[in-house]
Amino acid sequence: MLSPNSSRRLGQDWKTTGTAGSLQSLKKFNNQDFSRLRASCLSQGLLFEDDTFPANVSSIGPNLLSEDKLWLIQWKRPTELQRNPHLIMDGVSRFDIMQGEIGDCWMLAALGSLTLQKRFLENVLPKDQGFQNDYAGIFHFRFWHFGDWVDVVIDDRLPLLNGRYLSVHPRTSNEFWPSLLEKAYAKLRGSYQNLHGGYISDALVDFTGGVQLQFSLKNPPPDLEEILKAADRSQCLMGCSTSGQLRNIELRNGIVQGHAYTITGATKIRYKNGWEHIVRIWNPWGHGEWKGAWSDDSPEWDHVEPKYREALCRDKDDGEFWMSCENFQEHFSLLYICNSTPTFLDFGGQNRTTWSVDRHIYQWSPVVTTGRNNYSPAGALSRNPQYFFKVTDYDPKTYNVVISLIQKHADNTLDAQKLKIGFLIFRENSKVLKQDFALARDVTNYFILSPGTYAVLPATSEDQEFEFLLRIFLKHQDYNGEPNYPLSSMLPKDTFTDLRKTTPENSDEPRLNQDSSYKTIFLRYANQGSAIDALQLQHLLNEEVLQDETASLGGRFSFDSCRGILALMDLGSNGRLTLQEFGSLWRHIAKYLDVFKKEDRNNSGYLDVSELKSAIQTAGLSVNEQLLRLMALRYGDATRRIGLSDFICCMLRLETMTYAFQNLAEDGPQLSMTTMEWLTLVMYS
């Protein structure tokens, strides 16, 4: 268990990280900077060689091949293999992928699904690289790694065995994005050997930063069809797998045992005098298909209208096939669905809902066991932190809470998957309601919980200590009035305030536009669900407002500036903002953000003095030249340019003080100064 001193140190490290690890501020894997390394190679006329993932046996792994084969491995660059190599040709498609000798179908099945969702694909596969311009033998890819987006740099030397690709190879001989992306993922996980066998659920999360759930097809939930429809509607990544002790054994019906596949589509089609639900599946081998009903040349297609048959049926040996939902459940064992938030659980006649998420990184201690896999919450409570949350909305027919727990092994090896981890959920001052433990990197489950306060206790049955990432997803409606049960995420009872970091798991677009309701944002950060203090306001503004690179160029919101903002909006003079006070602040911020973007015509991330003057006028306020100069001095940098965060602080103060003067003037004739004299006094102080 962490001592108080080590708890404090961990919290300080987490706090100083800021937004590092986001898509806007990537962490550099092994501290390698792609742009700097490429520029250095270009200036010296060299091709990059990656010493941290070298072209030798250590990058392959000692147990993937026999010793005699390991020494036969050759490493060659695409420029040595093809006269005119390309990173991408005619776009990115699942049909570009053909699995090689390594048993990483689980990773390639997730990759095949990734190619169908551009919003996720662009996060993983940067566009600033290729073989035609600024080629220096260096490439980079991005993955979500235990709560952070990391940029992984590689050289383009690929392993070959007896002249054949050891790893994935592209269907088109001179297109290399699949092989290079696979190499970057192997580097992230330690070696190619660590790709030989794995879980599609892990890869789906690593490619999206999202939350995944697994559904048994042998004992499916009663609303599985509704979940599939919702997953398709919300553009989730989906995969499936077959069971079997012997892996990669192809049965006579064409289905491979112990193998992972991608789900690429699902539809309801008119068949004879009724309807048939069919699902489309792709094999990462790039060949090998189902031979039963609804396969490429099956007679079922003869009873489908020609326009639908031509649109759906693709008679090619490309690994993709259709089958009925009934056969799908019969021949496959698990369904995997992944998205940024669990939108695949939003189905039925629900009103518009949103999901919020709390993230917690900490270290755990072993849970006390009582034998026969029974876990004692009483013993665990004394050693591990508890995480509290409040359920706000409740419908007995729909899921409203998802708990995801991910373990991080110290050396990032597959040994982490051998540890049994899980969590217990219990109501405040009550017995354990739910518990979920499994031998997996990621234990995630979904629940229907009635309104109230709950605690989550992460735990492991192993006698080890290492880090975990806990994410609590909660569904809530867009309220028309004040919520009866405001959402709250509370700190572990035995940790420090700076250990907490709450980050919405969304895409890299500005969240100011994604969340139409300020209440949704307030509830993510509110202390006990009722108020926001200066530190929480600082986290909120930096994470919700400064999303794109341009917005953050002018600097972040400091703690002192957030204390100033809070003082301006704190009508109760208690050092906190209520929901109503925050709503007023959020509307002002939205207005100032629009004004800033309009006046920052060159997208520099700053306003000069003339642009500041125009912005003030656009906001419906007025200043004279003396006050304008003082504002530029007070809120600007050395060249009197003002970034977005300082602009918002400045405008909040200017508008608030302008109206304060007007109110004072209305109260009586005793005020003996002009508006500009008043503003000059308060704006430069």
Side-chain angles (χ1 to χ4, degrees), residues 283-532:
N283 185 347
W285 286 359
H287 60 84
E289 301 180 7
W290 162 248
K291 299 174 182 177
W294 297 101
S295 58
D296 286 0
D297 56 355
S298 72
E300 281 78 13
W301 291 106
D302 295 335
H303 301 278
V304 175
E305 291 184 39
K307 63 178 181 180
Y308 295 117
R309 181 172 65 245
E310 293 173 8
L312 298 175
C313 186
R314 178 187 173 102
D315 192 4
K316 288 186 177 182
D317 186 19
D318 53 11
E320 189 165 68
F321 54 88
W322 289 95
M323 67 192 314
S324 69
C325 284
E326 182 179 352
N327 284 331
F328 172 60
Q329 293 192 41
E330 179 183 354
H331 294 286
F332 287 83
S333 58
L334 289 171
L335 165 69
Y336 306 88
I337 305 179
C338 180
N339 205 354
S340 297
T341 58
T343 55
F344 40 88
L345 297 179
D346 295 339
F347 53 82
Q350 300 183 43
N351 298 322
R352 195 170 83 84
T353 61
T354 57
W355 289 84
S356 62
V357 57
D358 281 352
R359 300 196 321 172
H360 306 276
I361 291 182
Y362 199 61
Q363 277 189 295
W364 53 29
S365 300
V367 71
V368 177
T369 60
T370 57
R372 309 187 93 181
N373 290 329
N374 293 320
Y375 298 91
S376 166
L381 279 174
S382 65
R383 308 188 68 183
N384 283 348
Q386 306 166 55
Y387 297 88
F388 289 77
F389 63 92
K390 281 189 178 180
V391 172
T392 63
D393 291 284
Y394 172 68
D395 181 337
K397 298 180 181 178
T398 62
Y399 306 101
N400 58 350
V401 176
V402 174
I403 308 293
S404 174
L405 179 67
I406 301 177
Q407 61 176 304
K408 182 183 181 183
H409 200 266
D411 55 6
N412 194 35
T413 67
L414 293 183
D415 292 340
Q417 295 169 345
K418 299 178 182 178
L419 299 176
K420 179 170 284 190
I421 66 168
F423 53 84
L424 304 101
I425 303 176
F426 48 93
R427 201 152 189 165
E428 194 170 29
N429 302 320
S430 182
K431 64 180 182 180
V432 173
L433 297 178
K434 310 280 185 180
Q435 57 178 299
D436 193 357
F437 284 80
L439 287 167
R441 185 191 81 168
D442 180 339
V443 176
T444 302
N445 212 335
Y446 54 104
F447 307 97
I448 300 176
L449 298 180
S450 58
T453 300
Y454 297 84
V456 180
L457 175 68
T460 172
S461 62
E462 306 294 331
D463 189 19
Q464 296 188 37
E465 289 184 350
F466 46 86
E467 282 186 299
F468 65 81
L469 168 63
L470 175 70
R471 293 184 291 173
I472 306 171
F473 296 85
L474 297 106
K475 179 194 294 185
H476 46 93
Q477 305 287 338
D478 281 345
Y479 298 101
N480 294 319
E482 295 293 328
N484 293 323
Y485 298 93
L487 175 64
S488 167
S489 71
M490 295 164 58
L491 290 174
K493 286 184 176 179
D494 58 345
T495 57
F496 294 85
T497 302
D498 56 5
L499 278 174
R500 180 177 181 266
K501 179 177 173 120
T502 304
T503 305
E505 302 283 327
N506 285 321
S507 69
D508 55 342
E509 297 183 17
R511 296 190 191 114
L512 203 59
N513 297 326
Q514 290 178 335
D515 289 314
S516 60
S517 172
Y518 68 88
K519 299 170 187 176
T520 302
I521 298 169
F522 178 87
L523 293 174
R524 290 188 187 130
Y525 297 85
N527 180 25
Q528 307 295 319
S530 60
I532 289 179

Side-chain angles (χ1 to χ4, degrees), residues 161-196:
L161 178 62
N162 298 324
R164 295 170 56 87
Y165 289 97
L166 178 67
S167 56
V168 65
H169 52 283
R171 187 178 292 273
T172 303
S173 61
N174 61 339
E175 184 176 37
F176 285 92
W177 75 263
S179 303
L180 294 173
L181 191 153
E182 181 194 51
K183 180 176 182 179
Y185 195 56
K187 178 178 177 178
L188 178 73
R189 294 178 64 91
S191 68
Y192 279 99
Q193 176 180 303
N194 286 346
L195 299 187
H196 189 68

Side-chain angles (χ1 to χ4, degrees), residues 249-267:
I249 300 299
E250 185 173 356
L251 302 180
R252 293 178 62 182
N253 60 16
I255 298 299
V256 181
Q257 295 298 287
H259 191 49
Y261 290 77
T262 303
I263 295 178
T264 62
T267 189

Side-chain angles (χ1 to χ4, degrees), residues 135 178 228 275 333 349 416 460 500 530 535 545 585 602 652-653 674:
Y135 170 70
L228 274 170
W275 293 90
S333 58
T460 172
R500 180 177 181 266
S530 60
L535 182 60
V545 177
L585 171 62
N602 60 355
L652 277 168
R653 190 167 184 82
T674 66

Side-chain angles (χ1 to χ4, degrees), residues 53-61 73 75:
F53 199 66
N56 60 35
V57 172
S58 65
S59 297
I60 300 297
I73 294 290
W75 297 80

Side-chain angles (χ1 to χ4, degrees), residues 611-666:
E611 291 171 332
L612 175 61
K613 181 178 181 180
S614 178
I616 292 171
Q617 293 172 345
T618 301
L621 302 170
S622 61
V623 294
N624 59 20
E625 292 300 322
Q626 179 189 7
L627 179 55
L628 183 66
R629 180 181 65 83
L630 291 176
M631 290 169 61
L633 282 173
R634 170 66 176 80
Y635 293 95
D637 60 12
T639 61
R640 300 188 184 182
R641 299 183 309 163
I642 296 183
L644 176 60
S645 60
D646 288 317
F647 174 75
I648 289 175
C649 294
C650 175
M651 294 300 294
L652 277 168
R653 190 167 184 82
L654 178 63
E655 185 168 354
T656 303
M657 292 298 105
T658 296
Y659 290 118
F661 179 85
Q662 293 174 357
N663 290 333
L664 287 171
E666 290 176 359

